[in-house]
Amino acid sequence: MKVNLRIWRQKGPDAPGAFQDFSGVEVVPEMSFLEMLDEVNRDLEAKGQEPVVFDSDCREGICGSCGAVVDGTAHGPGRQQTLCQLHMRSFQDGDTITVEPWRAAAFPVVRDLMVDRSAFDRIIQAGGYVTARTGSAPDANAVPIGKPEADAAFDAATCIGCGACVAACPNASAMLFVSAKSGHLGLLPQGQPQRYSRAEAMVQTMDGEGFGGCSNHGECEAACPKGIGVSYIARLNRDLLRAASGAASK
Amino acid sequence: MKLDSRAPDGPIETAWDRHRQAIRLVNPANKRKYHVIVVGTGLAGASAAATLAQLGYNVSSFCFQDSPRRAHSIAAQGGINAAKNYQNDGDSVFRLFYDTVKGGDFRAREQNVYRLAQVSVNIIDQCVAQGVPFARDYGGLLANRSFGGALVSRTFYARGQTGQQLLLGAYQALSEQVGAGKVKLHSRTELLDVVLVDGKAKGIITRDLVTGEVKRWAADAVVLATGGYGNVFYLSTNAKGCNVTATWRAYKKGAGFANPCFTQIHPTCIPVMGEHQSKLTLMSESLRNDGRVWVPKQPGDMRRPRDIPEAERDYYLERIYPTFGNLVPRDVASRAAKRMVDEGHSVVAGGAGVYLDFRDAIKRLGHDVVSDRYGNLFDMYERITGDSPYETPMRIYPASHYTMGGLWVDYNLMTSVSGLYAIGEANFSDHGANRLGASALMQGLADGYFVLPYTIGDFLAGEKAGFNDTAHAAFDEAERNVKGQVDRLLGIKGKTSADVFHRRLGKIVWDGCGMARTKESLGKALTEIPALREEFWSDVSVPGTGADLNQSLERAGRVADFLEFAEVLCRDALTREESCGGHFREEHQHPDGEARRDDVNFQHGAVWGYEGEGNAPTRHTEPLDFRYVHPSTRSYK
Amino acid sequence: MSALTSLVRSTIGKKVVMGLTGLIMVGWLVLHTTGNLLIFAGQDAFNHYAHFIQSGFGVEPQLLWLMRIALVIAVGAHIWAAVGLTARNRSARPVAYAGGRKDAATTYAARFMMGAGVVLLLYVAFHLAHLTVGAFSDHPVMPTTFSKVDAYANLVHGVGVPFVGALYILANLALGAHLYHGVGSGLQTLGADGPTWTPLKARLTLWVPLFIAGGNLVIALTCMFGVGVLIDAPDPAWVSPH
């Protein structure tokens, strides 16, 4: 089958960008979307032209490197998948497919489909951890954790930091990302001592990075390749309110 | 090349304690005067950087990905071993040590493996303290499962995302130190050379992948945690970015490269579906806990699996290996699958594959339990293939997955270059000729959290702190070489993408030095590789410039190194005239098709030394001594 | 920095202001609508209710002003937070998706919050002028006489004017939409989530706007098309002050 592509090309964060059209690209349904881009790139390179730049690494949906907005949807049509898990069998012969990068002030375009998501790293650096010096840990079974809490923490911990939540949010908000980390660690006994300071520090950094606010549209949850739910956002809000009201220190 | 393992003599149970007592320490107040470079941010690199910074050292951490959290450790699925004996099934440090040495087919250093088993218990404690959400039972205590090559349940797991959760733990610990200013993080930065000053590793040369800037970094010691070289096969379960460049450049600076031919083929991957395929996806080995491997008894039987009656199915692993059944080690399972396919029992039309069936597990445990254990793996499989493993058996086939070989290191994890360390998959240390499932995560974290941070002190204590002379002639030369290679690649202006060369190289190496090797196949590869290399250097197309982001250039540089490395890989496989672990020479097998080791001539690590451009590398050996686990023919029957 | 200051300065702090002030207004609207529905109990009941409010709930006339001031502050704070957040949200994505972005989960109501908010602000101004101040008494296009005592007649005749009734209907549709997203969103912002709150939140999201906007719509429609039902026997007692 053949598809037509409109791929966003942009030299750098401040350079103007535009779609480049590729028509009649030969594909097979078993190909992943990124393998289709690989083919496009091999052709470009053979012609001495610069390939379409995009991030990708594990190509099995866990590293969080890849991502682009395909036909208006982060990671393309289909739920709970990353771009590398999107296959060409999701498209029809003759389709025109539009591909552009995540768009957010906090994720400046590096080139083409590649964006700079280091803001996420800085949010984690601000507080997204449990302080536990190597070697100082008690026996792993010293603190039992009920299966429901462990499972809820796990659901939040599955975040791959791909940024689709920000890309899909009408406000380019990072609340799902922040609340997932805050929820993961805040639900576990090991995360309790820093539960409130962690939430505050991460939110402060998130705001400083220029992400938008949450308007509870729920687009993030729909775009999340791991299906992380917005209830973690409510949980984060609750933690912040509790901290602000002084209830947390009682 | 001097290969002094520095492994302590005497009782193995106390070797690590005695060693720590014997080595030099850096006083706490002086640690902040030392600067350590850690390249790579996977389990080994991130945990080492975080722990070194906690100890007080100043650390610079480098990764080529956009974030340290994306290192390929993240893709490990099944679990991490530890001798906790929480299941009360008779596990112990000694048993884990024993299983690992035996699983490695007696080609690993005993003292290293024993230490690994010892610190395994600390790893689990550390990770739980960081908030790693390991699986738990309803009482809230940690759950375990069993893995290939072991008769006890000692594998801790976090659904099918254990690597991800462990890496996030290490990444978060690293991030805390970055936030505190003790670690300087340089992402999207690739190492292109190691700099030796007076024979000691004192810095690196990097290329900023966004700006193209080639930069010099000086330090008091350099740690490479840059992973394995499985992508030499092009199609592997490794991430696209995994490469041999850092370890290869270190080799060319004098670090010995040990046992490159010990590559692991993982038995349960989704089979190759077409030419376009860019990588293979692994299905966790944990699936073999409940899944049964079979092929139709009748060669060429292409009926739908559900239509093949029980009597016409060959559960060949259970038949040949009644004791271990579907849980035989990876190399054994892989070769058995290859044998079935070679005999015509493939279940992939025009390709290679066998069934991994969950029908009986679903019948026995119920849909919900199976879904709870493997749900995300089943989803992953269905997303790629369009088939649901709840309804039809998975089709699987072995694929390149892990590389046991790597830079030779001593007991302190120092390479044969003074001040240059290699940890995690990048070194050769603990797995011998074959790695057991759930042991890679264990080794990466053991090296990074509990071994290197202490042993590096022994070297640093003897060094004057604060080396920062990037104007040294050694840096000039290294930078000149790096820039020279970049210019050379850009100047070819050929007609073929580096990716195409990589795919061709992969096919040569897989055919010549894959699951089964012969003198003939290796000889063929050894003539084809230099020819391909020559073609590459005259026809590769690298558009753009070196002065900004250029993914063609990045790929071409990595392929260029693979094209050199592949030769040493095949040479090592050719010289090792025995079959052991992941290295299977068809000439050396028992009549029943099992591997035949040659302990008289090859009970050693083979370490390759660089002898300059155009010269054949030299082969050195580190003899291995087995005092606790006596070499026997591995049998899982 | 204390946890409180840090919260107030954050985007979430502004959202909390939105949520709290929103819920204050919702509470007031529930009362207001309940009172409005007394119109179906007849002129007497409705006017007594109006008088009860004007007298400061039968306690102290100043109380009414206190309530009004509180509401003005709530409205002001709600708008302040909304404007601030909207500006921030706009700057968070300075370059729009050139190929468009498809909504997968959100609702028209949620996307129309700011628009509905502006409509409601204008409506409140008109509504106060119309039925509280009586600014349009005997206006050429709204030929009804405003009575200081007969709130019932003001409402029935005032909203009975077709284009005025249409305005009330449009405004209440906007109100319904605003509340449909606002109630759930406000509760979410205030952290309401869990086995108790999640289903309750879903119910409130539906029933609160249905009651408030629906109730007012029924009143407006009745004023426009069913006046006879309401004023079958006008009580002359309300023509002049008691």
PDB file of all heavy atoms in Angstrom, chain C residues 153-183:
ATOM      1  N   ALA C 153     -44.331  39.595  39.863  1.00  0.00           N
ATOM      2  CA  ALA C 153     -44.774  40.199  38.608  1.00  0.00           C
ATOM      3  C   ALA C 153     -43.573  40.606  37.770  1.00  0.00           C
ATOM      4  O   ALA C 153     -43.545  40.418  36.547  1.00  0.00           O
ATOM      5  CB  ALA C 153     -45.672  41.401  38.892  1.00  0.00           C
ATOM      6  N   ASN C 154     -42.543  41.136  38.432  1.00  0.00           N
ATOM      7  CA  ASN C 154     -41.331  41.538  37.701  1.00  0.00           C
ATOM      8  C   ASN C 154     -40.777  40.360  36.911  1.00  0.00           C
ATOM      9  O   ASN C 154     -40.439  40.479  35.742  1.00  0.00           O
ATOM     10  CB  ASN C 154     -40.249  42.023  38.664  1.00  0.00           C
ATOM     11  CG  ASN C 154     -40.599  43.363  39.277  1.00  0.00           C
ATOM     12  OD1 ASN C 154     -41.478  44.080  38.755  1.00  0.00           O
ATOM     13  ND2 ASN C 154     -39.940  43.711  40.368  1.00  0.00           N
ATOM     14  N   LEU C 155     -40.722  39.244  37.602  1.00  0.00           N
ATOM     15  CA  LEU C 155     -40.146  38.058  36.969  1.00  0.00           C
ATOM     16  C   LEU C 155     -41.057  37.557  35.848  1.00  0.00           C
ATOM     17  O   LEU C 155     -40.635  37.391  34.704  1.00  0.00           O
ATOM     18  CB  LEU C 155     -39.945  36.959  38.020  1.00  0.00           C
ATOM     19  CG  LEU C 155     -39.480  35.597  37.519  1.00  0.00           C
ATOM     20  CD1 LEU C 155     -38.131  35.727  36.821  1.00  0.00           C
ATOM     21  CD2 LEU C 155     -39.371  34.595  38.649  1.00  0.00           C
ATOM     22  N   VAL C 156     -42.291  37.374  36.193  1.00  0.00           N
ATOM     23  CA  VAL C 156     -43.208  36.774  35.230  1.00  0.00           C
ATOM     24  C   VAL C 156     -43.358  37.657  33.990  1.00  0.00           C
ATOM     25  O   VAL C 156     -43.243  37.190  32.857  1.00  0.00           O
ATOM     26  CB  VAL C 156     -44.576  36.501  35.897  1.00  0.00           C
ATOM     27  CG1 VAL C 156     -45.607  36.076  34.855  1.00  0.00           C
ATOM     28  CG2 VAL C 156     -44.425  35.435  36.962  1.00  0.00           C
ATOM     29  N   HIS C 157     -43.564  38.945  34.203  1.00  0.00           N
ATOM     30  CA  HIS C 157     -43.744  39.822  33.049  1.00  0.00           C
ATOM     31  C   HIS C 157     -42.431  40.140  32.375  1.00  0.00           C
ATOM     32  O   HIS C 157     -42.325  40.175  31.156  1.00  0.00           O
ATOM     33  CB  HIS C 157     -44.455  41.117  33.471  1.00  0.00           C
ATOM     34  CG  HIS C 157     -45.836  40.861  33.961  1.00  0.00           C
ATOM     35  ND1 HIS C 157     -46.807  40.218  33.220  1.00  0.00           N
ATOM     36  CD2 HIS C 157     -46.417  41.124  35.176  1.00  0.00           C
ATOM     37  CE1 HIS C 157     -47.922  40.099  33.924  1.00  0.00           C
ATOM     38  NE2 HIS C 157     -47.711  40.650  35.133  1.00  0.00           N
ATOM     39  N   GLY C 158     -41.389  40.363  33.219  1.00  0.00           N
ATOM     40  CA  GLY C 158     -40.071  40.741  32.668  1.00  0.00           C
ATOM     41  C   GLY C 158     -39.529  39.662  31.758  1.00  0.00           C
ATOM     42  O   GLY C 158     -39.123  39.914  30.629  1.00  0.00           O
ATOM     43  N   VAL C 159     -39.523  38.425  32.246  1.00  0.00           N
ATOM     44  CA  VAL C 159     -38.952  37.336  31.455  1.00  0.00           C
ATOM     45  C   VAL C 159     -39.936  36.907  30.374  1.00  0.00           C
ATOM     46  O   VAL C 159     -39.564  36.292  29.380  1.00  0.00           O
ATOM     47  CB  VAL C 159     -38.546  36.166  32.375  1.00  0.00           C
ATOM     48  CG1 VAL C 159     -37.955  35.022  31.585  1.00  0.00           C
ATOM     49  CG2 VAL C 159     -37.537  36.652  33.407  1.00  0.00           C
ATOM     50  N   GLY C 160     -41.196  37.304  30.573  1.00  0.00           N
ATOM     51  CA  GLY C 160     -42.216  36.961  29.583  1.00  0.00           C
ATOM     52  C   GLY C 160     -42.014  37.672  28.261  1.00  0.00           C
ATOM     53  O   GLY C 160     -42.490  37.217  27.213  1.00  0.00           O
ATOM     54  N   VAL C 161     -41.282  38.781  28.276  1.00  0.00           N
ATOM     55  CA  VAL C 161     -40.989  39.474  27.010  1.00  0.00           C
ATOM     56  C   VAL C 161     -40.143  38.544  26.152  1.00  0.00           C
ATOM     57  O   VAL C 161     -39.080  38.089  26.604  1.00  0.00           O
ATOM     58  CB  VAL C 161     -40.236  40.796  27.276  1.00  0.00           C
ATOM     59  CG1 VAL C 161     -39.847  41.470  25.961  1.00  0.00           C
ATOM     60  CG2 VAL C 161     -41.052  41.701  28.152  1.00  0.00           C
ATOM     61  N   PRO C 162     -40.584  38.203  24.935  1.00  0.00           N
ATOM     62  CA  PRO C 162     -39.934  37.109  24.186  1.00  0.00           C
ATOM     63  C   PRO C 162     -38.421  37.244  24.079  1.00  0.00           C
ATOM     64  O   PRO C 162     -37.699  36.297  24.396  1.00  0.00           O
ATOM     65  CB  PRO C 162     -40.603  37.208  22.810  1.00  0.00           C
ATOM     66  CG  PRO C 162     -41.934  37.812  23.084  1.00  0.00           C
ATOM     67  CD  PRO C 162     -41.767  38.742  24.243  1.00  0.00           C
ATOM     68  N   PHE C 163     -37.900  38.404  23.696  1.00  0.00           N
ATOM     69  CA  PHE C 163     -36.441  38.431  23.487  1.00  0.00           C
ATOM     70  C   PHE C 163     -35.693  38.397  24.813  1.00  0.00           C
ATOM     71  O   PHE C 163     -34.598  37.885  24.922  1.00  0.00           O
ATOM     72  CB  PHE C 163     -36.039  39.612  22.589  1.00  0.00           C
ATOM     73  CG  PHE C 163     -35.663  40.850  23.326  1.00  0.00           C
ATOM     74  CD1 PHE C 163     -34.352  41.054  23.736  1.00  0.00           C
ATOM     75  CD2 PHE C 163     -36.618  41.825  23.633  1.00  0.00           C
ATOM     76  CE1 PHE C 163     -34.001  42.215  24.413  1.00  0.00           C
ATOM     77  CE2 PHE C 163     -36.268  42.971  24.300  1.00  0.00           C
ATOM     78  CZ  PHE C 163     -34.951  43.175  24.697  1.00  0.00           C
ATOM     79  N   VAL C 164     -36.345  38.923  25.874  1.00  0.00           N
ATOM     80  CA  VAL C 164     -35.708  38.824  27.200  1.00  0.00           C
ATOM     81  C   VAL C 164     -35.681  37.362  27.643  1.00  0.00           C
ATOM     82  O   VAL C 164     -34.653  36.845  28.097  1.00  0.00           O
ATOM     83  CB  VAL C 164     -36.466  39.695  28.227  1.00  0.00           C
ATOM     84  CG1 VAL C 164     -35.834  39.528  29.608  1.00  0.00           C
ATOM     85  CG2 VAL C 164     -36.449  41.142  27.803  1.00  0.00           C
ATOM     86  N   GLY C 165     -36.807  36.709  27.444  1.00  0.00           N
ATOM     87  CA  GLY C 165     -36.868  35.289  27.776  1.00  0.00           C
ATOM     88  C   GLY C 165     -35.809  34.508  27.018  1.00  0.00           C
ATOM     89  O   GLY C 165     -35.120  33.649  27.578  1.00  0.00           O
ATOM     90  N   ALA C 166     -35.652  34.863  25.739  1.00  0.00           N
ATOM     91  CA  ALA C 166     -34.634  34.177  24.918  1.00  0.00           C
ATOM     92  C   ALA C 166     -33.245  34.406  25.493  1.00  0.00           C
ATOM     93  O   ALA C 166     -32.417  33.486  25.560  1.00  0.00           O
ATOM     94  CB  ALA C 166     -34.726  34.674  23.480  1.00  0.00           C
ATOM     95  N   LEU C 167     -32.993  35.624  25.953  1.00  0.00           N
ATOM     96  CA  LEU C 167     -31.689  35.922  26.572  1.00  0.00           C
ATOM     97  C   LEU C 167     -31.472  35.046  27.807  1.00  0.00           C
ATOM     98  O   LEU C 167     -30.385  34.488  28.002  1.00  0.00           O
ATOM     99  CB  LEU C 167     -31.626  37.396  26.997  1.00  0.00           C
ATOM    100  CG  LEU C 167     -31.325  38.427  25.922  1.00  0.00           C
ATOM    101  CD1 LEU C 167     -31.241  39.824  26.548  1.00  0.00           C
ATOM    102  CD2 LEU C 167     -30.009  38.102  25.238  1.00  0.00           C
ATOM    103  N   TYR C 168     -32.531  34.948  28.628  1.00  0.00           N
ATOM    104  CA  TYR C 168     -32.410  34.124  29.832  1.00  0.00           C
ATOM    105  C   TYR C 168     -32.147  32.662  29.467  1.00  0.00           C
ATOM    106  O   TYR C 168     -31.371  31.970  30.122  1.00  0.00           O
ATOM    107  CB  TYR C 168     -33.676  34.244  30.689  1.00  0.00           C
ATOM    108  CG  TYR C 168     -33.605  35.431  31.630  1.00  0.00           C
ATOM    109  CD1 TYR C 168     -33.970  36.707  31.208  1.00  0.00           C
ATOM    110  CD2 TYR C 168     -33.130  35.269  32.926  1.00  0.00           C
ATOM    111  CE1 TYR C 168     -33.884  37.803  32.051  1.00  0.00           C
ATOM    112  CE2 TYR C 168     -33.037  36.362  33.784  1.00  0.00           C
ATOM    113  CZ  TYR C 168     -33.416  37.625  33.350  1.00  0.00           C
ATOM    114  OH  TYR C 168     -33.296  38.689  34.179  1.00  0.00           O
ATOM    115  N   ILE C 169     -32.813  32.220  28.407  1.00  0.00           N
ATOM    116  CA  ILE C 169     -32.619  30.825  28.004  1.00  0.00           C
ATOM    117  C   ILE C 169     -31.185  30.588  27.536  1.00  0.00           C
ATOM    118  O   ILE C 169     -30.504  29.652  27.980  1.00  0.00           O
ATOM    119  CB  ILE C 169     -33.637  30.444  26.907  1.00  0.00           C
ATOM    120  CG1 ILE C 169     -35.018  30.346  27.549  1.00  0.00           C
ATOM    121  CG2 ILE C 169     -33.264  29.121  26.240  1.00  0.00           C
ATOM    122  CD1 ILE C 169     -36.153  30.214  26.571  1.00  0.00           C
ATOM    123  N   LEU C 170     -30.714  31.480  26.690  1.00  0.00           N
ATOM    124  CA  LEU C 170     -29.338  31.340  26.191  1.00  0.00           C
ATOM    125  C   LEU C 170     -28.337  31.364  27.349  1.00  0.00           C
ATOM    126  O   LEU C 170     -27.425  30.539  27.439  1.00  0.00           O
ATOM    127  CB  LEU C 170     -29.015  32.470  25.206  1.00  0.00           C
ATOM    128  CG  LEU C 170     -29.582  32.279  23.798  1.00  0.00           C
ATOM    129  CD1 LEU C 170     -29.223  33.474  22.919  1.00  0.00           C
ATOM    130  CD2 LEU C 170     -29.007  30.988  23.197  1.00  0.00           C
ATOM    131  N   ALA C 171     -28.553  32.335  28.241  1.00  0.00           N
ATOM    132  CA  ALA C 171     -27.618  32.481  29.356  1.00  0.00           C
ATOM    133  C   ALA C 171     -27.627  31.231  30.228  1.00  0.00           C
ATOM    134  O   ALA C 171     -26.580  30.777  30.699  1.00  0.00           O
ATOM    135  CB  ALA C 171     -27.989  33.702  30.180  1.00  0.00           C
ATOM    136  N   ASN C 172     -28.800  30.643  30.417  1.00  0.00           N
ATOM    137  CA  ASN C 172     -28.838  29.455  31.271  1.00  0.00           C
ATOM    138  C   ASN C 172     -28.274  28.219  30.581  1.00  0.00           C
ATOM    139  O   ASN C 172     -27.772  27.314  31.248  1.00  0.00           O
ATOM    140  CB  ASN C 172     -30.253  29.217  31.788  1.00  0.00           C
ATOM    141  CG  ASN C 172     -30.474  29.984  33.078  1.00  0.00           C
ATOM    142  OD1 ASN C 172     -29.973  29.610  34.122  1.00  0.00           O
ATOM    143  ND2 ASN C 172     -31.185  31.110  32.989  1.00  0.00           N
ATOM    144  N   LEU C 173     -28.352  28.214  29.264  1.00  0.00           N
ATOM    145  CA  LEU C 173     -27.652  27.129  28.554  1.00  0.00           C
ATOM    146  C   LEU C 173     -26.145  27.255  28.780  1.00  0.00           C
ATOM    147  O   LEU C 173     -25.448  26.272  29.047  1.00  0.00           O
ATOM    148  CB  LEU C 173     -27.993  27.174  27.056  1.00  0.00           C
ATOM    149  CG  LEU C 173     -29.419  26.728  26.696  1.00  0.00           C
ATOM    150  CD1 LEU C 173     -29.692  26.942  25.203  1.00  0.00           C
ATOM    151  CD2 LEU C 173     -29.626  25.256  27.069  1.00  0.00           C
ATOM    152  N   ALA C 174     -25.662  28.503  28.675  1.00  0.00           N
ATOM    153  CA  ALA C 174     -24.236  28.734  28.930  1.00  0.00           C
ATOM    154  C   ALA C 174     -23.899  28.358  30.370  1.00  0.00           C
ATOM    155  O   ALA C 174     -22.862  27.742  30.651  1.00  0.00           O
ATOM    156  CB  ALA C 174     -23.887  30.193  28.664  1.00  0.00           C
ATOM    157  N   LEU C 175     -24.809  28.712  31.284  1.00  0.00           N
ATOM    158  CA  LEU C 175     -24.579  28.392  32.698  1.00  0.00           C
ATOM    159  C   LEU C 175     -24.511  26.880  32.896  1.00  0.00           C
ATOM    160  O   LEU C 175     -23.625  26.366  33.590  1.00  0.00           O
ATOM    161  CB  LEU C 175     -25.704  28.988  33.548  1.00  0.00           C
ATOM    162  CG  LEU C 175     -25.640  28.686  35.053  1.00  0.00           C
ATOM    163  CD1 LEU C 175     -24.374  29.268  35.671  1.00  0.00           C
ATOM    164  CD2 LEU C 175     -26.872  29.240  35.777  1.00  0.00           C
ATOM    165  N   GLY C 176     -25.439  26.174  32.248  1.00  0.00           N
ATOM    166  CA  GLY C 176     -25.453  24.723  32.361  1.00  0.00           C
ATOM    167  C   GLY C 176     -24.135  24.135  31.877  1.00  0.00           C
ATOM    168  O   GLY C 176     -23.538  23.275  32.534  1.00  0.00           O
ATOM    169  N   ALA C 177     -23.674  24.621  30.736  1.00  0.00           N
ATOM    170  CA  ALA C 177     -22.406  24.118  30.184  1.00  0.00           C
ATOM    171  C   ALA C 177     -21.249  24.441  31.128  1.00  0.00           C
ATOM    172  O   ALA C 177     -20.400  23.593  31.415  1.00  0.00           O
ATOM    173  CB  ALA C 177     -22.164  24.730  28.812  1.00  0.00           C
ATOM    174  N   HIS C 178     -21.251  25.671  31.622  1.00  0.00           N
ATOM    175  CA  HIS C 178     -20.173  26.099  32.519  1.00  0.00           C
ATOM    176  C   HIS C 178     -20.142  25.222  33.769  1.00  0.00           C
ATOM    177  O   HIS C 178     -19.086  24.821  34.231  1.00  0.00           O
ATOM    178  CB  HIS C 178     -20.400  27.570  32.899  1.00  0.00           C
ATOM    179  CG  HIS C 178     -19.165  28.272  33.386  1.00  0.00           C
ATOM    180  ND1 HIS C 178     -18.144  28.655  32.551  1.00  0.00           N
ATOM    181  CD2 HIS C 178     -18.792  28.669  34.633  1.00  0.00           C
ATOM    182  CE1 HIS C 178     -17.196  29.263  33.250  1.00  0.00           C
ATOM    183  NE2 HIS C 178     -17.558  29.281  34.524  1.00  0.00           N
ATOM    184  N   LEU C 179     -21.322  24.934  34.276  1.00  0.00           N
ATOM    185  CA  LEU C 179     -21.393  24.112  35.486  1.00  0.00           C
ATOM    186  C   LEU C 179     -21.071  22.650  35.184  1.00  0.00           C
ATOM    187  O   LEU C 179     -20.479  21.958  36.013  1.00  0.00           O
ATOM    188  CB  LEU C 179     -22.788  24.202  36.105  1.00  0.00           C
ATOM    189  CG  LEU C 179     -23.150  25.559  36.699  1.00  0.00           C
ATOM    190  CD1 LEU C 179     -24.592  25.537  37.181  1.00  0.00           C
ATOM    191  CD2 LEU C 179     -22.218  25.897  37.856  1.00  0.00           C
ATOM    192  N   TYR C 180     -21.468  22.193  34.007  1.00  0.00           N
ATOM    193  CA  TYR C 180     -21.244  20.792  33.649  1.00  0.00           C
ATOM    194  C   TYR C 180     -19.761  20.465  33.748  1.00  0.00           C
ATOM    195  O   TYR C 180     -19.362  19.420  34.268  1.00  0.00           O
ATOM    196  CB  TYR C 180     -21.763  20.514  32.231  1.00  0.00           C
ATOM    197  CG  TYR C 180     -21.556  19.097  31.781  1.00  0.00           C
ATOM    198  CD1 TYR C 180     -22.244  18.049  32.387  1.00  0.00           C
ATOM    199  CD2 TYR C 180     -20.657  18.807  30.756  1.00  0.00           C
ATOM    200  CE1 TYR C 180     -22.043  16.747  31.988  1.00  0.00           C
ATOM    201  CE2 TYR C 180     -20.449  17.499  30.362  1.00  0.00           C
ATOM    202  CZ  TYR C 180     -21.144  16.475  30.974  1.00  0.00           C
ATOM    203  OH  TYR C 180     -20.938  15.182  30.579  1.00  0.00           O
ATOM    204  N   HIS C 181     -18.901  21.373  33.262  1.00  0.00           N
ATOM    205  CA  HIS C 181     -17.473  21.121  33.435  1.00  0.00           C
ATOM    206  C   HIS C 181     -16.985  21.616  34.795  1.00  0.00           C
ATOM    207  O   HIS C 181     -16.147  20.990  35.432  1.00  0.00           O
ATOM    208  CB  HIS C 181     -16.661  21.794  32.331  1.00  0.00           C
ATOM    209  CG  HIS C 181     -15.180  21.554  32.466  1.00  0.00           C
ATOM    210  ND1 HIS C 181     -14.611  20.323  32.251  1.00  0.00           N
ATOM    211  CD2 HIS C 181     -14.159  22.367  32.844  1.00  0.00           C
ATOM    212  CE1 HIS C 181     -13.312  20.385  32.476  1.00  0.00           C
ATOM    213  NE2 HIS C 181     -13.006  21.609  32.843  1.00  0.00           N
ATOM    214  N   GLY C 182     -17.550  22.766  35.225  1.00  0.00           N
ATOM    215  CA  GLY C 182     -17.013  23.448  36.405  1.00  0.00           C
ATOM    216  C   GLY C 182     -17.170  22.664  37.699  1.00  0.00           C
ATOM    217  O   GLY C 182     -16.239  22.624  38.511  1.00  0.00           O
ATOM    218  N   VAL C 183     -18.309  22.032  37.896  1.00  0.00           N
ATOM    219  CA  VAL C 183     -18.535  21.353  39.171  1.00  0.00           C
ATOM    220  C   VAL C 183     -17.541  20.205  39.364  1.00  0.00           C
ATOM    221  O   VAL C 183     -16.842  20.126  40.368  1.00  0.00           O
ATOM    222  CB  VAL C 183     -19.991  20.829  39.250  1.00  0.00           C
ATOM    223  CG1 VAL C 183     -20.168  19.920  40.448  1.00  0.00           C
ATOM    224  CG2 VAL C 183     -20.957  22.003  39.331  1.00  0.00           C
TER     225      VAL C 183
END
